[in-house]
Amino acid sequence: MKKILQRIGLLARAGMLLWGWQGMNAKAADDIFTFKYSSTCHIDETKSHVDKDEEGQKYYLYLYQEDGYAFTQAPSVSLYDETDKVPLLSFTEEQDNDNTCYTYFIWANNIDPTHKYSINIRKYGMTIITKIRITPTAPVIGQTLPSKWDINTTGVLENSLEWMSDGQDVTGFVAEPNKTYSANITLSTETDYEFRDNVTIDPKCVTHDMNNDRSFTFVYEFKTGDAQPSNPGNTNTEITWEKWNDWTINRDKLENGHIAKGYGLSGSAAESHDAHLFLYVEPKDGYYFTEEPKVSWNDTLLVPLPKDSSTLYGYKYQLDDNGSGTIVVEGKAVKKETNESENNGSETSAPAASNDSSEEPYKIINGARSTWNGSTTEGLTIRGDGDFAKFAGVRVDGNWIPSAHYEAKSGSTIVTLKPSYLASLSEGEHTVDIMWIDDSASTTFTVAANTATAQAELDSVPKTGEGVMGWMPEALLLVAAGLTIMGALRLKKAK
């Protein structure tokens, strides 16, 4: 029995060695050959490979074309010895090939398996395009119909893209809702390329026709849906300030301006109790907008609300209730004094300046650069010299804050930020703007550590000698001293 098992083991090892040798032989054939060719050959390297026949007399080359291409005739394939830097005989083409895969061979005695070789492929004739990959761009309501599509196939040129609707040429028009459009795109080929008569296209089109100049015209159809709302969101009235966390605002294309966030009712208390988020787009101090900024949501332009006391210098947009997404803001403000853009100096027409030299900017007359110490009963009071009848609201760090966070009264205008709101701000310096319908006044204030709370916490801790913590340090010192004395006595006894 033992001998039988030994023989089985020997046979198994022999089989593994044979299998390993064949694998090494096949691997060696792949390792010593590399492909060199121009991009117009469109060789699929993931399929193309070299094998040695079972007798070891020939090396076979299997050459595959990339998907979507074919040659009118077989390429020429030659060999170069990269080790000795000399050219060798060309591969010989086998019979019974087609235009998607070709088989070649070279005698093994012409190949030194210890050398490295490059297989040089030269294309003959035209490259036939059998498949076109295209990325159609559908119409977007409110935007100009696309003028160009992406063609993802080498050797293909886009000649034209024309749009039709209701039998009329609408190229260059703006896409309308609930309308059917057909896109007619004409494609031709570069030099050394040619369409196959029954070329396929991905994705599938409605129709396609070969023209007299061997270009192709493909027809796609699209139907637009209902127009998107002018402002995003739905009619859920349970909107809160925290809903701002659902929005992302992209202001990369806003020059000399800033964004402010607001929250409140859509009208007077008698008209509506529905709360909304509001987005304010305003120029920097000393600048103004010559044109309305472009504010869009999901590629749809938003319509600004009518001007009111909070939008004398900028624009206000309502974000209907609890919508979400990305708002993109584009715009440019120019200087009032020089009528020039800060970036490129282009000239614009500025509003006429007032000749009334008595007009001066509003000022903060009390409470400038104040510090709030964390009191739970007292807020922060700031007084501006503007007429309370023109009072429009308050901004902190550039954002409009709800009236629930402050109290305002006349004399000229006195604003008190409530402790509950101040406690929500981070420690450090903040800016505050008192807004009137014709101007504003600004200052800074500092939120300090809550010293009142901290002192209360300290007063609640027992004094030295009171409670557990009073004697804990002394106890620890006694224990440590006792351990030290015991260690010394044991060491002396051991000696």
Side-chain angles (χ1 to χ4, degrees):
M1 184 65 180
K2 183 176 180 181
K3 290 183 178 180
I4 293 174
L5 293 174
Q6 289 177 341
R7 290 177 180 176
I8 292 175
L10 289 172
L11 289 173
R13 284 196 291 272
M16 291 177 67
L17 287 172
L18 179 61
W19 175 79
W21 177 84
Q22 290 178 338
M24 290 174 63
N25 189 45
K27 184 175 185 300
D30 283 334
D31 285 348
I32 65 176
F33 295 100
T34 58
F35 294 102
K36 287 187 177 181
Y37 50 87
S38 68
S39 59
T40 57
C41 287
H42 299 289
I43 302 301
D44 188 345
E45 280 195 82
T46 62
K47 294 182 180 179
S48 302
H49 62 282
V50 178
D51 285 338
K52 201 172 185 180
D53 65 357
E54 294 181 357
E55 293 79 16
Q57 297 180 351
K58 296 180 180 178
Y59 283 97
Y60 279 94
L61 166 64
Y62 299 93
L63 197 60
Y64 289 84
Q65 311 299 291
E66 283 184 4
D67 181 35
Y69 297 91
F71 287 139
T72 53
Q73 63 187 74
S76 170
V77 181
S78 61
L79 201 64
Y80 186 82
D81 188 332
E82 297 287 351
T83 303
D84 288 343
K85 302 299 181 184
V86 294
L88 297 179
L89 297 173
S90 298
F91 274 89
T92 302
E93 181 188 353
E94 288 278 285
Q95 299 300 315
D96 301 326
N97 293 302
D98 57 29
N99 60 356
T100 59
C101 177
Y102 293 92
T103 307
Y104 305 80
F105 77 89
I106 192 169
W107 293 103
N109 57 11
N110 291 324
I111 301 298
D112 186 340
T114 64
H115 287 201
K116 297 289 185 181
Y117 299 89
S118 59
I119 300 173
N120 302 298
I121 303 166
R122 182 181 178 188
K123 178 175 70 72
Y124 280 115
M126 290 284 187
T127 298
I128 304 299
I129 298 173
T130 63
K131 180 186 292 185
I132 301 174
R133 296 176 181 85
I134 190 170
T135 304
T137 303
V140 176
I141 298 171
Q143 294 188 10
T144 305
L145 295 167
S147 60
K148 190 175 182 62
W149 286 354
D150 289 333
I151 310 300
N152 307 314
T153 303
T154 304
V156 177
L157 300 173
E158 179 179 337
N159 290 11
S160 64
L161 178 60
E162 299 176 348
W163 292 89
M164 303 290 293
S165 183
D166 299 328
Q168 302 292 322
D169 186 349
V170 292
T171 305
F173 284 37
V174 173
E176 301 176 8
N178 299 313
K179 203 173 188 66
T180 300
Y181 294 93
S182 62
N184 307 296
I185 182 168
T186 302
L187 305 176
S188 61
T189 60
E190 297 179 358
T191 305
D192 295 334
Y193 289 87
E194 187 175 287
F195 287 128
R196 189 173 66 181
D197 291 342
N198 58 341
V199 64
T200 59
I201 186 166
D202 182 25
K204 188 177 180 180
C205 59
V206 177
T207 61
H208 67 274
D209 295 301
M210 174 76 81
N211 304 314
N212 292 332
D213 60 354
R214 294 198 64 79
S215 64
F216 261 106
T217 298
F218 302 88
V219 180
Y220 288 83
E221 287 189 355
F222 304 90
K223 183 174 176 59
T224 57
D226 294 332
Q228 293 180 335
S230 60
N231 291 307
N234 58 35
T235 57
N236 181 356
T237 58
E238 297 179 0
I239 188 68
T240 63
W241 177 267
E242 287 70 24
K243 284 295 181 180
W244 270 114
N245 297 329
D246 297 336
W247 291 96
T248 299
I249 301 177
N250 183 331
R251 64 196 77 189
D252 294 342
K253 296 183 180 180
L254 178 61
E255 299 181 31
N256 306 322
H258 59 264
I259 300 297
K261 299 175 182 178
Y263 164 76
L265 301 179
S266 57
S268 67
E271 297 172 351
S272 171
H273 291 284
D274 297 345
H276 298 275
L277 300 181
F278 297 104
L279 179 70
Y280 298 85
V281 182
E282 301 170 330
K284 289 167 52 178
D285 290 342
Y287 289 78
Y288 70 99
F289 287 118
T290 58
E291 295 181 359
E292 178 185 313
K294 179 181 177 183
V295 180
S296 59
W297 171 72
N298 289 354
D299 297 325
T300 299
L301 288 177
L302 302 188
V303 179
L305 295 174
K307 289 282 188 177
D308 60 17
S309 60
S310 64
T311 55
L312 292 179
Y313 310 106
Y315 296 85
K316 178 181 179 181
Y317 301 84
Q318 178 178 309
L319 308 183
D320 282 346
D321 301 322
N322 63 344
S324 62
T326 300
I327 298 292
V328 179
V329 181
E330 301 179 41
K332 180 190 294 185
V334 297
K335 288 183 178 180
K336 291 181 180 179
E337 297 83 3
T338 61
N339 308 332
E340 294 178 353
S341 167
E342 187 175 59
N343 291 334
N344 56 23
S346 59
E347 294 186 0
T348 60
S349 58
S354 172
N355 293 324
D356 187 355
S357 59
S358 63
E359 292 184 1
E360 294 181 0
Y362 290 127
K363 300 181 181 66
I364 300 296
I365 53 180
N366 291 114
R369 300 185 180 277
S370 299
T371 297
W372 182 70
N373 62 3
S375 170
T376 58
T377 59
E378 296 182 2
L380 188 70
T381 299
I382 302 171
R383 182 184 175 195
D385 63 356
D387 186 352
F388 184 67
K390 297 181 180 181
F391 176 68
V394 178
R395 297 191 310 186
V396 172
D397 295 333
N399 296 321
W400 291 86
I401 64 174
S403 58
H405 292 333
Y406 63 86
E407 294 178 351
K409 60 183 180 180
S410 62
S412 302
T413 299
I414 302 173
V415 172
T416 301
L417 301 177
K418 294 183 178 181
S420 57
Y421 171 69
L422 292 167
S424 69
L425 301 176
S426 62
E427 293 183 14
E429 189 175 80
H430 299 267
T431 61
V432 59
D433 305 313
I434 300 179
M435 309 297 294
W436 294 273
I437 61 175
D438 53 353
D439 212 331
S440 64
S442 303
T443 186
T444 61
F445 66 92
T446 301
V447 174
N450 194 334
T451 55
T453 302
Q455 185 61 46
E457 291 174 352
L458 289 174
D459 292 342
S460 66
V461 177
K463 304 295 188 294
T464 303
E466 297 178 1
V468 176
M469 294 304 294
W471 52 261
M472 185 62 74
E474 287 82 353
L476 291 176
L477 286 173
L478 290 173
V479 171
L483 291 174
T484 303
I485 293 170
M486 290 176 63
L489 292 173
R490 287 183 180 180
L491 180 62
K492 183 177 181 180
K493 184 177 181 181
K495 291 182 178 180

